[in-house]
PDB file of all heavy atoms in Angstrom:
ATOM      1  N   PRO R   1       4.878  19.509 -62.940  1.00 82.00           N
ATOM      2  CA  PRO R   1       5.754  18.916 -62.018  1.00 82.00           C
ATOM      3  C   PRO R   1       7.200  19.174 -62.402  1.00 82.00           C
ATOM      4  O   PRO R   1       7.543  19.444 -63.535  1.00 82.00           O
ATOM      5  CB  PRO R   1       5.423  17.404 -62.156  1.00 82.00           C
ATOM      6  CG  PRO R   1       4.934  17.295 -63.559  1.00 82.00           C
ATOM      7  CD  PRO R   1       4.201  18.548 -63.847  1.00 82.00           C
ATOM      8  N   GLU R   2       8.077  19.118 -61.401  1.00 79.00           N
ATOM      9  CA  GLU R   2       9.523  19.217 -61.716  1.00 79.00           C
ATOM     10  C   GLU R   2      10.266  18.410 -60.651  1.00 79.00           C
ATOM     11  O   GLU R   2       9.711  18.094 -59.595  1.00 79.00           O
ATOM     12  CB  GLU R   2       9.989  20.670 -61.818  1.00 79.00           C
ATOM     13  CG  GLU R   2      10.031  21.375 -60.468  1.00 79.00           C
ATOM     14  CD  GLU R   2      10.635  22.799 -60.630  1.00 79.00           C
ATOM     15  OE1 GLU R   2      10.221  23.523 -61.520  1.00 79.00           O
ATOM     16  OE2 GLU R   2      11.599  23.088 -59.872  1.00 79.00           O
ATOM     17  N   THR R   3      11.522  18.143 -60.925  1.00 81.00           N
ATOM     18  CA  THR R   3      12.376  17.484 -59.999  1.00 81.00           C
ATOM     19  C   THR R   3      13.493  18.446 -59.565  1.00 81.00           C
ATOM     20  O   THR R   3      14.032  19.203 -60.344  1.00 81.00           O
ATOM     21  CB  THR R   3      13.053  16.242 -60.683  1.00 81.00           C
ATOM     22  OG1 THR R   3      11.973  15.387 -61.117  1.00 81.00           O
ATOM     23  CG2 THR R   3      13.929  15.494 -59.735  1.00 81.00           C
ATOM     24  N   TYR R   4      13.790  18.380 -58.275  1.00 77.00           N
ATOM     25  CA  TYR R   4      14.821  19.266 -57.725  1.00 77.00           C
ATOM     26  C   TYR R   4      16.200  18.960 -58.389  1.00 77.00           C
ATOM     27  O   TYR R   4      16.545  17.738 -58.497  1.00 77.00           O
ATOM     28  CB  TYR R   4      14.960  19.065 -56.204  1.00 77.00           C
ATOM     29  CG  TYR R   4      15.934  19.997 -55.544  1.00 77.00           C
ATOM     30  CD1 TYR R   4      15.635  21.319 -55.277  1.00 77.00           C
ATOM     31  CD2 TYR R   4      17.176  19.541 -55.172  1.00 77.00           C
ATOM     32  CE1 TYR R   4      16.501  22.173 -54.719  1.00 77.00           C
ATOM     33  CE2 TYR R   4      18.094  20.384 -54.580  1.00 77.00           C
ATOM     34  CZ  TYR R   4      17.774  21.709 -54.371  1.00 77.00           C
ATOM     35  OH  TYR R   4      18.659  22.526 -53.730  1.00 77.00           O
ATOM     36  N   ASP R   5      16.891  19.843 -58.881  1.00 70.00           N
ATOM     37  CA  ASP R   5      16.803  21.289 -58.888  1.00 70.00           C
ATOM     38  C   ASP R   5      16.451  21.777 -60.299  1.00 70.00           C
ATOM     39  O   ASP R   5      17.323  21.874 -61.141  1.00 70.00           O
ATOM     40  CB  ASP R   5      18.142  21.882 -58.408  1.00 70.00           C
ATOM     41  CG  ASP R   5      18.204  23.379 -58.293  1.00 70.00           C
ATOM     42  OD1 ASP R   5      17.128  24.023 -58.105  1.00 70.00           O
ATOM     43  OD2 ASP R   5      19.292  23.921 -58.406  1.00 70.00           O
ATOM     44  N   ASP R   6      15.144  21.970 -60.544  1.00 67.00           N
ATOM     45  CA  ASP R   6      14.584  22.406 -61.852  1.00 67.00           C
ATOM     46  C   ASP R   6      15.040  21.480 -62.989  1.00 67.00           C
ATOM     47  O   ASP R   6      15.420  21.925 -64.071  1.00 67.00           O
ATOM     48  CB  ASP R   6      15.017  23.809 -62.138  1.00 67.00           C
ATOM     49  CG  ASP R   6      14.228  24.491 -63.273  1.00 67.00           C
ATOM     50  OD1 ASP R   6      13.053  24.066 -63.464  1.00 67.00           O
ATOM     51  OD2 ASP R   6      14.802  25.331 -64.030  1.00 67.00           O
ATOM     52  N   ALA R   7      14.950  20.144 -62.725  1.00 66.00           N
ATOM     53  CA  ALA R   7      15.349  19.165 -63.736  1.00 66.00           C
ATOM     54  C   ALA R   7      14.167  18.731 -64.559  1.00 66.00           C
ATOM     55  O   ALA R   7      13.029  18.822 -64.178  1.00 66.00           O
ATOM     56  CB  ALA R   7      15.978  17.952 -63.049  1.00 66.00           C
ATOM     57  N   ALA R   8      14.493  18.236 -65.762  1.00 59.00           N
ATOM     58  CA  ALA R   8      13.453  17.824 -66.708  1.00 59.00           C
ATOM     59  C   ALA R   8      12.635  16.612 -66.173  1.00 59.00           C
ATOM     60  O   ALA R   8      11.466  16.475 -66.404  1.00 59.00           O
ATOM     61  CB  ALA R   8      14.019  17.508 -67.996  1.00 59.00           C
ATOM     62  N   ASN R   9      13.347  15.682 -65.530  1.00 64.00           N
ATOM     63  CA  ASN R   9      12.649  14.541 -64.913  1.00 64.00           C
ATOM     64  C   ASN R   9      13.517  13.962 -63.788  1.00 64.00           C
ATOM     65  O   ASN R   9      14.558  14.460 -63.438  1.00 64.00           O
ATOM     66  CB  ASN R   9      12.368  13.414 -66.039  1.00 64.00           C
ATOM     67  CG  ASN R   9      13.601  12.964 -66.686  1.00 64.00           C
ATOM     68  OD1 ASN R   9      14.666  12.797 -66.073  1.00 64.00           O
ATOM     69  ND2 ASN R   9      13.513  12.703 -67.993  1.00 64.00           N
ATOM     70  N   PHE R  10      12.997  12.900 -63.195  1.00 68.00           N
ATOM     71  CA  PHE R  10      13.585  12.308 -62.014  1.00 68.00           C
ATOM     72  C   PHE R  10      15.043  11.942 -62.189  1.00 68.00           C
ATOM     73  O   PHE R  10      15.880  12.142 -61.325  1.00 68.00           O
ATOM     74  CB  PHE R  10      12.788  11.064 -61.628  1.00 68.00           C
ATOM     75  CG  PHE R  10      13.242  10.372 -60.416  1.00 68.00           C
ATOM     76  CD1 PHE R  10      12.870  10.806 -59.158  1.00 68.00           C
ATOM     77  CD2 PHE R  10      14.061   9.253 -60.494  1.00 68.00           C
ATOM     78  CE1 PHE R  10      13.301  10.153 -57.996  1.00 68.00           C
ATOM     79  CE2 PHE R  10      14.503   8.615 -59.356  1.00 68.00           C
ATOM     80  CZ  PHE R  10      14.118   9.060 -58.126  1.00 68.00           C
ATOM     81  N   TYR R  11      15.404  11.424 -63.382  1.00 63.00           N
ATOM     82  CA  TYR R  11      16.766  10.932 -63.644  1.00 63.00           C
ATOM     83  C   TYR R  11      17.818  12.069 -63.694  1.00 63.00           C
ATOM     84  O   TYR R  11      18.964  11.813 -63.466  1.00 63.00           O
ATOM     85  CB  TYR R  11      16.806  10.074 -64.876  1.00 63.00           C
ATOM     86  CG  TYR R  11      15.942   8.836 -64.779  1.00 63.00           C
ATOM     87  CD1 TYR R  11      14.659   8.836 -65.327  1.00 63.00           C
ATOM     88  CD2 TYR R  11      16.378   7.721 -64.055  1.00 63.00           C
ATOM     89  CE1 TYR R  11      13.844   7.685 -65.199  1.00 63.00           C
ATOM     90  CE2 TYR R  11      15.602   6.601 -63.901  1.00 63.00           C
ATOM     91  CZ  TYR R  11      14.341   6.590 -64.489  1.00 63.00           C
ATOM     92  OH  TYR R  11      13.537   5.478 -64.370  1.00 63.00           O
ATOM     93  N   TYR R  12      17.366  13.259 -64.043  1.00 64.00           N
ATOM     94  CA  TYR R  12      18.277  14.341 -64.150  1.00 64.00           C
ATOM     95  C   TYR R  12      18.281  15.225 -62.874  1.00 64.00           C
ATOM     96  O   TYR R  12      18.961  16.253 -62.809  1.00 64.00           O
ATOM     97  CB  TYR R  12      17.912  15.243 -65.354  1.00 64.00           C
ATOM     98  CG  TYR R  12      18.111  14.510 -66.678  1.00 64.00           C
ATOM     99  CD1 TYR R  12      17.048  13.957 -67.360  1.00 64.00           C
ATOM    100  CD2 TYR R  12      19.412  14.387 -67.227  1.00 64.00           C
ATOM    101  CE1 TYR R  12      17.248  13.298 -68.561  1.00 64.00           C
ATOM    102  CE2 TYR R  12      19.564  13.714 -68.412  1.00 64.00           C
ATOM    103  CZ  TYR R  12      18.490  13.195 -69.063  1.00 64.00           C
ATOM    104  OH  TYR R  12      18.647  12.533 -70.255  1.00 64.00           O
ATOM    105  N   GLY R  13      17.516  14.845 -61.877  1.00 69.00           N
ATOM    106  CA  GLY R  13      17.429  15.586 -60.633  1.00 69.00           C
ATOM    107  C   GLY R  13      18.744  15.604 -59.861  1.00 69.00           C
ATOM    108  O   GLY R  13      19.643  14.778 -60.071  1.00 69.00           O
ATOM    109  N   LEU R  14      18.811  16.575 -58.923  1.00 71.00           N
ATOM    110  CA  LEU R  14      19.967  16.665 -58.060  1.00 71.00           C
ATOM    111  C   LEU R  14      19.794  15.822 -56.809  1.00 71.00           C
ATOM    112  O   LEU R  14      18.741  15.867 -56.138  1.00 71.00           O
ATOM    113  CB  LEU R  14      20.126  18.169 -57.631  1.00 71.00           C
ATOM    114  CG  LEU R  14      21.385  18.511 -56.827  1.00 71.00           C
ATOM    115  CD1 LEU R  14      22.632  18.296 -57.650  1.00 71.00           C
ATOM    116  CD2 LEU R  14      21.318  19.972 -56.354  1.00 71.00           C
ATOM    117  N   ASP R  15      20.808  14.997 -56.496  1.00 77.00           N
ATOM    118  CA  ASP R  15      20.727  14.116 -55.327  1.00 77.00           C
ATOM    119  C   ASP R  15      20.722  15.002 -54.043  1.00 77.00           C
ATOM    120  O   ASP R  15      21.461  15.986 -53.972  1.00 77.00           O
ATOM    121  CB  ASP R  15      21.930  13.199 -55.275  1.00 77.00           C
ATOM    122  CG  ASP R  15      21.912  12.162 -56.349  1.00 77.00           C
ATOM    123  OD1 ASP R  15      20.813  11.920 -56.914  1.00 77.00           O
ATOM    124  OD2 ASP R  15      22.944  11.515 -56.612  1.00 77.00           O
ATOM    125  N   VAL R  16      19.952  14.531 -53.077  1.00 72.00           N
ATOM    126  CA  VAL R  16      19.958  15.153 -51.753  1.00 72.00           C
ATOM    127  C   VAL R  16      20.314  14.103 -50.752  1.00 72.00           C
ATOM    128  O   VAL R  16      19.603  13.082 -50.572  1.00 72.00           O
ATOM    129  CB  VAL R  16      18.551  15.716 -51.424  1.00 72.00           C
ATOM    130  CG1 VAL R  16      18.577  16.361 -50.022  1.00 72.00           C
ATOM    131  CG2 VAL R  16      18.093  16.730 -52.467  1.00 72.00           C
ATOM    132  N   ILE R  17      21.469  14.247 -50.128  1.00 72.00           N
ATOM    133  CA  ILE R  17      22.008  13.240 -49.197  1.00 72.00           C
ATOM    134  C   ILE R  17      21.573  13.665 -47.769  1.00 72.00           C
ATOM    135  O   ILE R  17      21.800  14.756 -47.292  1.00 72.00           O
ATOM    136  CB  ILE R  17      23.559  13.184 -49.210  1.00 72.00           C
ATOM    137  CG1 ILE R  17      23.995  12.988 -50.659  1.00 72.00           C
ATOM    138  CG2 ILE R  17      24.037  12.083 -48.293  1.00 72.00           C
ATOM    139  CD1 ILE R  17      23.486  11.698 -51.291  1.00 72.00           C
ATOM    140  N   ILE R  18      20.888  12.729 -47.113  1.00 74.00           N
ATOM    141  CA  ILE R  18      20.320  12.982 -45.712  1.00 74.00           C
ATOM    142  C   ILE R  18      20.991  12.062 -44.746  1.00 74.00           C
ATOM    143  O   ILE R  18      20.687  10.847 -44.707  1.00 74.00           O
ATOM    144  CB  ILE R  18      18.797  12.859 -45.700  1.00 74.00           C
ATOM    145  CG1 ILE R  18      18.121  13.750 -46.733  1.00 74.00           C
ATOM    146  CG2 ILE R  18      18.293  13.162 -44.282  1.00 74.00           C
ATOM    147  CD1 ILE R  18      16.655  13.620 -46.744  1.00 74.00           C
ATOM    148  N   PRO R  19      21.979  12.575 -43.950  1.00 69.00           N
ATOM    149  CA  PRO R  19      22.517  11.746 -42.881  1.00 69.00           C
ATOM    150  C   PRO R  19      21.484  11.393 -41.842  1.00 69.00           C
ATOM    151  O   PRO R  19      20.456  12.045 -41.771  1.00 69.00           O
ATOM    152  CB  PRO R  19      23.646  12.626 -42.297  1.00 69.00           C
ATOM    153  CG  PRO R  19      23.920  13.686 -43.314  1.00 69.00           C
ATOM    154  CD  PRO R  19      22.567  13.855 -44.022  1.00 69.00           C
ATOM    155  N   GLU R  20      21.719  10.344 -41.060  1.00 63.00           N
ATOM    156  CA  GLU R  20      20.759   9.928 -40.050  1.00 63.00           C
ATOM    157  C   GLU R  20      20.533  11.062 -39.063  1.00 63.00           C
ATOM    158  O   GLU R  20      21.423  11.777 -38.612  1.00 63.00           O
ATOM    159  CB  GLU R  20      21.304   8.697 -39.346  1.00 63.00           C
ATOM    160  CG  GLU R  20      20.349   8.067 -38.361  1.00 63.00           C
ATOM    161  CD  GLU R  20      20.866   6.799 -37.720  1.00 63.00           C
ATOM    162  OE1 GLU R  20      21.906   6.304 -38.209  1.00 63.00           O
ATOM    163  OE2 GLU R  20      20.259   6.331 -36.772  1.00 63.00           O
ATOM    164  N   ALA R  21      19.225  11.197 -38.708  1.00 65.00           N
ATOM    165  CA  ALA R  21      18.804  12.203 -37.705  1.00 65.00           C
ATOM    166  C   ALA R  21      19.208  13.596 -38.042  1.00 65.00           C
ATOM    167  O   ALA R  21      19.590  14.436 -37.171  1.00 65.00           O
ATOM    168  CB  ALA R  21      19.361  11.808 -36.321  1.00 65.00           C
ATOM    169  N   THR R  22      19.123  13.969 -39.348  1.00 69.00           N
ATOM    170  CA  THR R  22      19.546  15.288 -39.832  1.00 69.00           C
ATOM    171  C   THR R  22      18.443  15.906 -40.642  1.00 69.00           C
ATOM    172  O   THR R  22      17.735  15.216 -41.378  1.00 69.00           O
ATOM    173  CB  THR R  22      20.841  15.189 -40.647  1.00 69.00           C
ATOM    174  OG1 THR R  22      21.863  14.628 -39.874  1.00 69.00           O
ATOM    175  CG2 THR R  22      21.266  16.611 -41.097  1.00 69.00           C
ATOM    176  N   GLU R  23      18.228  17.210 -40.518  1.00 78.00           N
ATOM    177  CA  GLU R  23      17.264  17.913 -41.284  1.00 78.00           C
ATOM    178  C   GLU R  23      17.979  18.710 -42.417  1.00 78.00           C
ATOM    179  O   GLU R  23      18.995  19.370 -42.180  1.00 78.00           O
ATOM    180  CB  GLU R  23      16.419  18.879 -40.447  1.00 78.00           C
ATOM    181  CG  GLU R  23      15.528  18.158 -39.445  1.00 78.00           C
ATOM    182  CD  GLU R  23      14.658  19.169 -38.681  1.00 78.00           C
ATOM    183  OE1 GLU R  23      14.844  20.389 -38.866  1.00 78.00           O
ATOM    184  OE2 GLU R  23      13.815  18.693 -37.883  1.00 78.00           O
ATOM    185  N   ILE R  24      17.463  18.602 -43.633  1.00 77.00           N
ATOM    186  CA  ILE R  24      18.002  19.386 -44.758  1.00 77.00           C
ATOM    187  C   ILE R  24      17.040  20.453 -45.089  1.00 77.00           C
ATOM    188  O   ILE R  24      15.846  20.210 -45.361  1.00 77.00           O
ATOM    189  CB  ILE R  24      18.243  18.471 -45.980  1.00 77.00           C
ATOM    190  CG1 ILE R  24      19.172  17.316 -45.589  1.00 77.00           C
ATOM    191  CG2 ILE R  24      18.799  19.252 -47.144  1.00 77.00           C
ATOM    192  CD1 ILE R  24      20.575  17.753 -45.255  1.00 77.00           C
ATOM    193  N   MET R  25      17.464  21.688 -45.114  1.00 80.00           N
ATOM    194  CA  MET R  25      16.633  22.830 -45.378  1.00 80.00           C
ATOM    195  C   MET R  25      16.889  23.394 -46.793  1.00 80.00           C
ATOM    196  O   MET R  25      17.938  23.139 -47.399  1.00 80.00           O
ATOM    197  CB  MET R  25      16.890  23.959 -44.381  1.00 80.00           C
ATOM    198  CG  MET R  25      16.870  23.460 -42.926  1.00 80.00           C
ATOM    199  SD  MET R  25      15.267  22.761 -42.396  1.00 80.00           S
ATOM    200  CE  MET R  25      14.304  24.296 -42.346  1.00 80.00           C
ATOM    201  N   GLY R  26      15.962  24.185 -47.305  1.00 78.00           N
ATOM    202  CA  GLY R  26      16.174  24.907 -48.549  1.00 78.00           C
ATOM    203  C   GLY R  26      15.947  24.099 -49.824  1.00 78.00           C
ATOM    204  O   GLY R  26      16.499  24.475 -50.866  1.00 78.00           O
ATOM    205  N   ILE R  27      15.271  22.966 -49.701  1.00 84.00           N
ATOM    206  CA  ILE R  27      14.964  22.163 -50.952  1.00 84.00           C
ATOM    207  C   ILE R  27      13.649  22.779 -51.529  1.00 84.00           C
ATOM    208  O   ILE R  27      12.523  22.325 -51.294  1.00 84.00           O
ATOM    209  CB  ILE R  27      14.801  20.711 -50.678  1.00 84.00           C
ATOM    210  CG1 ILE R  27      16.007  20.180 -49.903  1.00 84.00           C
ATOM    211  CG2 ILE R  27      14.548  19.875 -51.909  1.00 84.00           C
ATOM    212  CD1 ILE R  27      17.337  20.352 -50.675  1.00 84.00           C
ATOM    213  N   ASN R  28      13.793  23.899 -52.270  1.00 86.00           N
ATOM    214  CA  ASN R  28      12.701  24.646 -52.743  1.00 86.00           C
ATOM    215  C   ASN R  28      12.393  24.457 -54.210  1.00 86.00           C
ATOM    216  O   ASN R  28      13.210  23.828 -54.944  1.00 86.00           O
ATOM    217  CB  ASN R  28      12.983  26.157 -52.550  1.00 86.00           C
ATOM    218  CG  ASN R  28      13.298  26.500 -51.093  1.00 86.00           C
ATOM    219  OD1 ASN R  28      12.750  25.904 -50.166  1.00 86.00           O
ATOM    220  ND2 ASN R  28      14.237  27.404 -50.870  1.00 86.00           N
ATOM    221  N   ALA R  29      11.213  24.831 -54.648  1.00 84.00           N
ATOM    222  CA  ALA R  29      10.867  24.722 -56.062  1.00 84.00           C
ATOM    223  C   ALA R  29       9.987  25.884 -56.428  1.00 84.00           C
ATOM    224  O   ALA R  29       9.152  26.399 -55.603  1.00 84.00           O
ATOM    225  CB  ALA R  29      10.152  23.371 -56.317  1.00 84.00           C
ATOM    226  N   SER R  30      10.127  26.353 -57.671  1.00 83.00           N
ATOM    227  CA  SER R  30       9.199  27.352 -58.227  1.00 83.00           C
ATOM    228  C   SER R  30       8.508  26.730 -59.417  1.00 83.00           C
ATOM    229  O   SER R  30       9.120  26.531 -60.483  1.00 83.00           O
ATOM    230  CB  SER R  30      10.030  28.587 -58.654  1.00 83.00           C
ATOM    231  OG  SER R  30       9.204  29.555 -59.203  1.00 83.00           O
ATOM    232  N   LEU R  31       7.251  26.343 -59.259  1.00 85.00           N
ATOM    233  CA  LEU R  31       6.552  25.581 -60.238  1.00 85.00           C
ATOM    234  C   LEU R  31       5.924  26.546 -61.349  1.00 85.00           C
ATOM    235  O   LEU R  31       5.322  27.532 -61.031  1.00 85.00           O
ATOM    236  CB  LEU R  31       5.416  24.765 -59.592  1.00 85.00           C
ATOM    237  CG  LEU R  31       5.843  23.729 -58.555  1.00 85.00           C
ATOM    238  CD1 LEU R  31       4.667  22.949 -58.102  1.00 85.00           C
ATOM    239  CD2 LEU R  31       6.954  22.839 -59.088  1.00 85.00           C
ATOM    240  N   ALA R  32       6.043  26.068 -62.579  1.00 86.00           N
ATOM    241  CA  ALA R  32       5.429  26.770 -63.702  1.00 86.00           C
ATOM    242  C   ALA R  32       3.990  26.350 -63.865  1.00 86.00           C
ATOM    243  O   ALA R  32       3.572  25.213 -63.449  1.00 86.00           O
ATOM    244  CB  ALA R  32       6.226  26.531 -64.948  1.00 86.00           C
TER     245      ALA R  32
END
């Protein structure tokens, strides 16, 4: 498992801000 963006755990992950009625693209992951 990993947390976006390739973080060690949830607390070090990158925030993703989603405004109302908006789609966010490109939240990808390459799992080891």
